[in-house]
Amino acid sequence: MVLMCRRAMGRTSHVTEADVEDDAGYLDVAVSDVKHPPAQLSPMPEGLSSQQVVRRHILGSIIQSERSYLESLRRILEEYQSPLLEADPHILSPRKIRLVFYRLREITQCHSMFQIALASRVAEWDSSEKIGDLFVASFSKSMVLDVYSDYVNNFTNAMALVKKACMSKPAFLEFLKMKQASSVDRITLYGLMVKPIQRFPQFILLLQDMLKNTPKGHVDCLPLQLALTELEMLADKLNEQKRVADQIAETQQLARSVSDRSLSKQLNSDQGSLVLCETLIETVYGERGQVLKSKERKVFLFNDILICANINVKGPLDISSLVPVGPKYTMKWSAPLLQVQVVEVGQEASQETLFQHGGGKHPGSAWKVILGPPRLYQELLDLQHDLSVVEEVTLLVGTLQGTYQNLNTTVAQDWCLALQRLIRIKEDQLQSANKCRLRLQVPGRPDKSGRPVSFMVVFNTPSPLSKISWVNRLHLAQIAQREENTPGWFCAEDEGNTMSPFWPLLACRVPVFTTKSSDRKVSSRLKPALHTPGQFSAGCTLLPQGYLWVASGGDVTQGQVEIFSLNRPTLRPVKSLQVGAPVRCLEYVPETRPSEEVEAVAFRSSTGVGNTICLGLDDGSILVYGSVNTEAQCLLNLRNPHSCPVLCLKHCTNFLFAGLRDGTMMVYRRSNGGKLWEPDSSRTVIVGPEPVRTLLVLEDSMWASCANSVTIIEGSSLATQRFEVHPDPMVTVAHMVRAGGGVWMAFSEGSSIRLFHTETLEHLQEINISTRVSLHNPGQKSMRVTSLLIYQGLLWVGTVQGIIIILPVPKLEGIPKITGKGMISLNAHCGPVDFLVATSSTLSPELLKRDSVADGPDSAPPRGRGGGKGLGVLLQYRLRSTSGLPGRPLTVRGDEASDSSLESLEHSLEDGSIYEFSDNPEMWMQGRPCERDGGRRDRMISAAVISGGRGFHRLREGTTERAGVESSETTLMMWELPLTV
């Protein structure tokens, strides 16, 4: 449910008179620089390792950064607050002065104390090399959060007060100008006062660098991870408070400009909430694709309405240069969110009357023609038509009886290849134009006959990521209006007021294993494996892309696998498989990435295996399937000597680990050349006397659970180390998930989960999930954990009752400690939650640029188009000249003078790649493996979590009692996660 607490958060965003008086009575403790000099690093000793040298440099950055920050805080107090308070006559009233600089003295005091401790730690750095614990001790105190929260909540109001004073009191404006002019760095009051808001993100970046250069096993490793955890939680709370305060201010400013009383009342109520707002460029195109006009608009996305407003004058320049002056708005149009539709080029077909908003004849006589998406799309259709005609001509030329110099099959084929090249270029141009173009179909007033009328609004976004963000948020805001998401989660602490716009949203639920007879055994636990094939070149996407394999034990003699596509708005089954024994586990193994040289010579050669799915069966077999081909061909069958059931599978580098019921583990090595696993290479590792229940990959080692212990197996040597994780020998480790420097474990009995450090193996935290959710549980049934997942800062817990709980955990490299209350999903399974699995869509940095994806001489051929529906077909050919023919030359070489629209594109000889498109579900996406650069990461643009279990039902808020909408079928539920892209 896309809601946030305006009432609760709004109370803390205003400073009261009592708060001001409390601040005025604050006892300031002076810190002498003579008694406590600032931190200073001693000269670097000799014989240090490269990592030690880097750590010293990072420490130096921390010292310098903190010294500069403390100096900025003192400048605010000494150069602004004190002169204003001492001015006679008063430039500004003392009450307003204290409102503007509220809590700055306390913040300065906190960091003065931190600098004293930092100086002491720096003095002994060469002997201890430890600093993480200092950050934990200094910034985990509640006082730090309190004073920073007060400051952040008051910041927006403080800046509004400064702006108002600048406009109404010329003496105050002159005072600010004089202070800025006399400063060495020419920084404004706003530039100084924003520093506390930026401080903790700066600390986090510095500590991340320090942790990256801290070797494994170092004494400072765990303290640094704990420090990152504390700072991340602090920064997240402050960022959320700042976001809420800013959005309330934006909403109030918009509400003042709305003439419609009902809409104004709706904006000022506690029910409406602002999800996203941004300044976009509205562009109006003529019939020929030319730009008629463009203008800045402020677009507001609320949880139930979309509003577009004109931006009026932003205020005097002399004031806006000192403090941000928010613009005033005039509402242009508004539309109910559920009636707004994102329309990509080529999707305009509609029975409704459609026109472009702001269109019409342009009074100018001469226009500069700029190709817009409608024009490009028509040109693409024309080229595709011409190609089909030329292909027919080519077939006719092949039937000629005579031999002609300029009319033969070779020349005709060259025509086809040249048209294919032009189609590729036009596709790239169209995609590039759409990267930053948001086209919305918005409902208008009905025409005279009463028919619905819609108009098209075209916005240019600042970046491709901005467009993706708008498309995703519009999509999720509409999903949030569905009954199953109103509400979708419950926490008693919130009392229905603090639902965040960032909670997961139930997007769909689908039955699984429904095609067989009703006597099929559906009580067997489901097992998942996710396959996400390569990269996609879609300009934006709403759903994660890939394929989900779900397996069931079926009956006692056979197992069944159903394959679902994630490339549509709902999970869609595309194939079903029968296997010879019940399936106990699955593992997705991506293909090994060859070197760039090998990849350039032979991409996807006939000897390549590609991505595979491994199935562990109850009869001891491991079946290896090709995960791309819909035929799902079994490529390999591995069997252990004693036909012992395979309970869990994991791969690590070039090894496949299989945990067996008899307490042993089979380890298979990948054959030379990165092909399949070698059956004869298997090695046996004895883990314990009990079954190996679950495996977890950590860097180059494997964690294997057996009874109440975990055994760590080194990947190459297979050396083992065992440690106990639960005092009860009758309890078994059932689930393990890792995030940052910690591993959470769930057990076969009880409702507790435990957190262990990945290096020291220290037990860091224990949580009873039944006490973390305020839930009325009739009969006090045990909340035993049946599945675990950590994803996007949330620990997902599935229970034996079918209830799903999420708990907040840090996202960064720190320790994933649980600090807040849990949220319970009101959409639950009727039986145990058999699995929780996460999936996402990513785009490479090249696809997030504004220019074409094929804009360089070394650019690779584009991958499949159409949002993951294309199948690549590679054709190789040689260059042949057609320059002897009359008319426009059709040649594989680009003629820069022949088409002005191609002047910006510099293409080398093409390799003849063409791409076929199909909606046929049997057409599986196969893209070129991404040539990854180690320094660049793909950007995640959508994420989802999928759960599997028996049945579906809704819960009543605050209780485990069912509220109806029940289904007994084995069901998959998919939650989409709002992301800040």
Side-chain angles (χ1 to χ4, degrees):
M1 183 179 181
V2 183
L3 292 175
M4 70 180 182
C5 175
R6 176 171 295 160
R7 184 188 298 118
M9 299 300 293
R11 282 199 299 263
T12 61
S13 63
H14 297 281
V15 179
T16 64
E17 293 290 338
D19 294 329
V20 173
E21 293 302 321
D22 176 65
D23 187 41
Y26 169 71
L27 180 61
D28 189 11
V29 179
V31 178
S32 171
D33 286 342
V34 177
K35 289 185 177 180
H36 303 286
Q40 186 69 43
L41 263 176
S42 60
M44 187 179 299
E46 297 181 355
L48 297 182
S49 67
S50 59
Q51 278 191 326
Q52 287 177 309
V53 172
V54 173
R55 281 171 57 84
R56 277 182 66 93
H57 285 309
I58 298 171
L59 179 63
S61 297
I62 293 174
I63 295 170
Q64 178 59 37
S65 173
E66 183 64 13
R67 184 182 302 161
S68 174
Y69 177 60
L70 201 51
E71 180 185 345
S72 296
L73 294 176
R74 289 170 178 164
R75 279 178 61 182
I76 299 174
L77 297 176
E78 295 171 4
E79 298 181 15
Y80 287 91
Q81 185 183 35
S82 295
L84 285 171
L85 287 172
E86 296 168 1
D88 189 17
H90 290 308
I91 301 175
L92 207 61
S93 69
R95 184 185 67 84
K96 290 183 177 179
I97 294 171
R98 286 193 289 268
L99 279 171
V100 170
F101 302 105
Y102 184 60
R103 292 302 189 198
L104 271 170
R105 287 191 179 277
E106 291 91 331
I107 292 176
T108 305
Q109 191 69 36
C110 288
H111 284 270
S112 296
M113 296 296 103
F114 173 66
Q115 180 151 293
I116 294 173
L118 180 63
S120 175
R121 185 58 57 90
V122 168
E124 57 188 30
W125 176 259
D126 291 323
S127 59
S128 66
E129 287 196 20
K130 189 177 180 181
I131 197 172
D133 58 331
L134 175 61
F135 279 88
V136 174
S138 299
F139 297 111
S140 61
K141 300 173 183 177
S142 60
M143 179 187 69
V144 177
L145 176 60
D146 291 342
V147 296
Y148 266 97
S149 293
D150 288 343
Y151 182 84
V152 168
N153 287 331
N154 183 61
F155 182 79
T156 301
N157 293 325
M159 292 300 101
L161 197 154
V162 170
K163 180 187 73 171
K164 187 175 180 180
C166 286
M167 293 180 173
S168 60
K169 297 182 180 296
F172 181 68
L173 179 59
E174 285 302 316
F175 172 80
L176 294 184
K177 289 182 178 179
M178 181 190 67
K179 287 296 181 183
Q180 181 191 9
S182 61
S183 63
V184 176
D185 51 13
R186 307 278 295 177
I187 192 169
T188 63
L189 173 62
Y190 175 82
L192 291 171
M193 291 193 66
V194 79
K195 288 181 180 291
I197 296 175
Q198 302 167 340
R199 187 61 192 140
F200 290 107
Q202 292 169 349
F203 271 151
I204 288 172
L205 291 175
L206 290 167
L207 291 190
Q208 283 180 311
D209 286 343
M210 184 71 83
L211 183 60
K212 288 176 184 177
N213 290 279
T214 302
K216 187 176 180 180
H218 193 282
V219 66
D220 202 24
C221 189
L222 178 56
L224 281 173
Q225 290 172 326
L226 291 171
L228 268 177
T229 298
E230 293 293 339
L231 292 177
E232 181 185 354
M233 290 188 299
L234 184 58
D236 284 347
K237 290 177 181 177
L238 297 178
N239 288 342
E240 177 64 10
Q241 291 171 0
K242 180 68 167 58
R243 183 188 67 83
V244 170
D246 289 346
Q247 291 189 350
I248 290 175
E250 284 277 11
T251 303
Q252 291 173 346
Q253 182 72 13
L254 176 64
R256 296 188 193 103
S257 67
V258 175
S259 58
D260 187 332
R261 289 186 178 182
S262 62
L263 180 57
S264 179
K265 185 178 180 180
Q266 180 182 351
L267 292 175
N268 285 316
S269 70
D270 295 329
Q271 301 302 317
S273 60
L274 183 61
V275 177
L276 182 64
C277 66
E278 191 174 13
T279 300
L280 306 178
I281 307 295
E282 183 180 2
T283 306
V284 178
Y285 293 95
E287 296 178 356
R288 298 184 298 165
Q290 71 275 14
V291 174
L292 297 182
K293 64 178 181 179
S294 60
K295 190 172 182 180
E296 282 190 345
R297 310 286 189 202
K298 191 78 169 188
V299 185
F300 299 83
L301 171 61
F302 289 86
N303 62 320
D304 55 356
I305 192 171
L306 185 70
I307 297 177
C308 176
N310 289 328
I311 302 175
N312 297 333
V313 180
K314 299 182 179 180
L317 292 176
D318 56 346
I319 297 179
S320 60
S321 64
L322 296 172
V323 61
V325 179
K328 294 182 180 180
Y329 304 118
T330 302
M331 194 182 78
K332 187 174 177 63
W333 53 261
S334 65
L337 187 61
L338 293 179
Q339 298 180 31
V340 177
Q341 182 180 356
V342 178
V343 182
E344 297 292 352
V345 173
Q347 298 177 352
E348 297 90 340
S350 174
Q351 296 179 352
E352 301 177 358
T353 304
L354 182 66
F355 63 92
Q356 185 176 11
H357 190 259
K361 296 295 182 180
H362 193 279
S365 57
W367 301 323
K368 179 181 178 182
V369 176
I370 302 176
L371 295 181
R375 172 74 176 272
L376 291 173
Y377 183 68
Q378 184 59 49
E379 290 177 350
L380 176 61
L381 293 179
D382 292 344
L383 285 171
Q384 291 172 340
H385 171 269
D386 293 347
L387 176 61
S388 63
V389 172
V390 171
E391 286 174 342
E392 294 179 5
V393 172
T394 303
L395 294 176
L396 293 175
V397 169
T399 63
L400 293 175
Q401 299 297 320
T403 301
Y404 308 97
Q405 181 179 2
N406 293 330
L407 188 60
N408 53 54
T409 304
T410 299
V411 174
Q413 287 176 346
D414 227 11
W415 297 343
C416 293
L417 295 173
L419 280 169
Q420 290 165 8
R421 171 187 176 273
L422 294 177
I423 288 174
R424 283 185 48 202
I425 294 174
K426 196 61 63 180
E427 288 172 348
D428 290 341
Q429 290 177 333
L430 184 61
Q431 183 190 54
S432 180
N434 280 327
K435 283 182 181 180
C436 298
R437 194 152 290 145
L438 179 66
R439 305 174 79 237
L440 301 178
Q441 186 171 321
V442 181
R445 295 179 181 179
D447 60 13
K448 294 181 179 179
S449 63
R451 291 185 304 171
V453 174
S454 296
F455 60 88
M456 189 73 68
V457 184
V458 182
F459 293 110
N460 282 332
T461 61
S463 67
L465 278 178
S466 174
K467 178 189 174 176
I468 293 170
S469 180
W470 274 99
V471 172
N472 283 350
R473 287 303 175 87
L474 282 164
H475 166 71
L476 292 173
Q478 291 173 339
I479 288 180
Q481 302 296 308
R482 297 177 184 172
E483 182 180 359
E484 58 267 27
N485 291 312
T486 53
W489 298 86
F490 174 77
C491 179
E493 276 190 346
D494 297 330
E495 298 179 353
N497 289 329
T498 57
M499 280 301 294
S500 166
F502 301 108
W503 292 121
L505 297 166
L506 182 61
C508 67
R509 55 185 176 92
V510 296
V512 62
F513 303 124
T514 58
T515 57
K516 299 300 176 182
S517 60
S518 59
D519 60 350
R520 167 171 292 280
K521 180 183 177 183
V522 295
S523 61
S524 299
R525 291 198 60 188
L526 303 176
K527 300 293 180 180
L530 269 169
H531 162 230
T532 305
Q535 287 286 321
F536 295 83
S537 60
C540 61
T541 182
L542 300 179
L543 294 177
Q545 294 171 326
Y547 298 91
L548 173 70
W549 290 45
V550 181
S552 173
D555 52 37
V556 294
T557 59
Q558 283 190 326
Q560 184 179 357
V561 177
E562 283 204 15
I563 305 172
F564 291 83
S565 170
L566 303 179
N567 300 329
R568 298 294 175 90
T570 59
L571 294 168
R572 180 172 53 91
V574 293
K575 192 164 184 68
S576 180
L577 303 175
Q578 296 289 333
V579 292
V583 181
R584 305 301 297 266
C585 54
L586 298 91
E587 173 72 349
Y588 166 59
V589 183
E591 66 174 315
T592 56
R593 297 293 184 189
S595 64
E596 293 186 5
E597 292 79 8
V598 174
E599 183 178 336
V601 173
F603 162 65
R604 297 292 298 170
S605 63
S606 59
T607 59
V609 175
N611 305 313
T612 56
I613 297 284
C614 299
L615 277 63
L617 305 187
D618 205 44
D619 63 359
S621 301
I622 300 176
L623 305 182
V624 182
Y625 284 85
S627 65
V628 174
N629 193 339
T630 51
E631 296 178 0
Q633 178 184 1
C634 184
L635 306 176
L636 183 65
N637 187 346
L638 303 171
R639 297 188 66 90
N640 62 72
H642 305 292
S643 299
C644 190
V646 181
L647 303 185
C648 46
L649 285 169
K650 286 291 179 184
H651 78 282
C652 178
T653 58
N654 287 321
F655 295 93
L656 178 66
F657 294 81
L660 308 183
R661 180 182 287 174
D662 62 3
T664 62
M665 181 186 297
M666 301 297 295
V667 184
Y668 299 90
R669 181 188 293 273
R670 194 186 292 272
S671 61
N672 294 331
K675 301 178 184 178
L676 293 174
W677 316 104
E678 292 181 345
D680 299 334
S681 69
S682 64
R683 298 171 62 182
T684 302
V685 178
I686 298 176
V687 179
E690 299 295 326
V692 180
R693 292 291 180 186
T694 184
L695 299 173
L696 179 67
V697 179
L698 270 77
E699 281 80 41
D700 294 328
S701 65
M702 183 70 64
W703 286 29
S705 73
C706 182
N708 63 335
S709 300
V710 170
T711 300
I712 303 175
I713 301 104
E714 296 299 328
S716 54
S717 64
L718 299 185
T720 61
Q721 175 188 359
R722 181 175 175 271
F723 69 104
E724 187 176 284
V725 296
H726 199 283
D728 189 349
M730 302 303 294
V731 171
T732 300
V733 180
H735 307 280
M736 296 187 292
V737 290
R738 184 256 182 104
V743 174
W744 279 103
M745 300 184 186
F747 305 93
S748 58
E749 301 293 336
S751 56
S752 293
I753 55 177
R754 294 186 166 201
L755 175 65
F756 292 85
H757 190 234
T758 56
E759 293 184 16
T760 65
L761 309 182
E762 180 181 346
H763 179 202
L764 301 177
Q765 190 179 22
E766 182 169 359
I767 295 294
N768 188 330
I769 61 167
S770 61
T771 63
R772 283 279 163 163
V773 289
S774 302
L775 187 69
H776 175 61
N777 189 1
Q780 295 299 310
K781 298 178 182 178
S782 172
M783 296 281 286
R784 182 169 62 85
V785 177
T786 57
S787 52
L788 276 182
L789 173 71
I790 289 184
Y791 193 58
Q792 291 296 308
L794 294 174
L795 174 62
W796 293 66
V797 182
T799 66
V800 70
Q801 288 88 359
I803 297 172
I804 296 174
I805 300 164
I806 56 175
L807 299 155
V809 294
K811 295 181 181 180
L812 301 180
E813 306 91 323
I815 303 299
K817 296 175 65 177
I818 295 173
T819 56
K821 269 283 189 179
M823 298 287 294
I824 181 169
S825 173
L826 298 179
N827 300 292
H829 292 283
C830 299
V833 181
D834 288 332
F835 70 81
L836 291 163
V837 65
T839 181
S840 65
S841 284
T842 60
L843 287 179
S844 64
E846 289 77 10
L847 295 174
L848 295 176
K849 296 177 182 178
R850 294 185 66 101
D851 53 356
S852 174
V853 295
D855 56 355
D858 299 325
S859 61
R863 294 176 286 271
R865 302 286 197 270
K869 295 183 289 184
L871 177 66
V873 182
L874 299 181
L875 300 178
Q876 300 294 331
Y877 61 91
R878 293 182 180 180
L879 175 66
R880 302 181 181 90
S881 175
T882 57
S883 58
L885 296 176
R888 178 183 175 185
L890 290 178
T891 175
V892 181
R893 291 187 183 274
D895 185 355
E896 295 182 356
S898 64
D899 190 352
S900 60
S901 66
L902 304 182
E903 289 181 359
S904 61
L905 300 175
E906 298 177 6
H907 284 268
S908 62
L909 294 182
E910 304 294 334
D911 66 355
S913 298
I914 62 172
Y915 293 83
E916 297 175 350
F917 313 113
S918 175
D919 289 330
N920 185 347
E922 297 300 317
M923 300 286 281
W924 291 57
M925 173 64 190
Q926 177 54 50
R928 177 183 293 271
C930 182
E931 298 178 5
R932 300 181 183 274
D933 186 337
R936 293 176 294 181
R937 290 186 177 181
D938 297 334
R939 190 68 172 262
M940 182 183 297
I941 60 171
S942 63
V945 169
I946 303 170
S947 69
R950 181 178 60 82
F952 166 82
H953 68 94
R954 287 276 294 175
L955 298 177
R956 288 191 174 91
E957 293 187 43
T959 178
T960 57
E961 297 177 1
R962 299 179 180 180
V965 196
E966 294 196 23
S967 170
S968 60
E969 295 177 317
T970 307
T971 303
L972 303 180
M973 291 192 287
M974 183 169 75
W975 281 266
E976 291 192 49
L977 279 63
L979 296 178
T980 303
V981 296

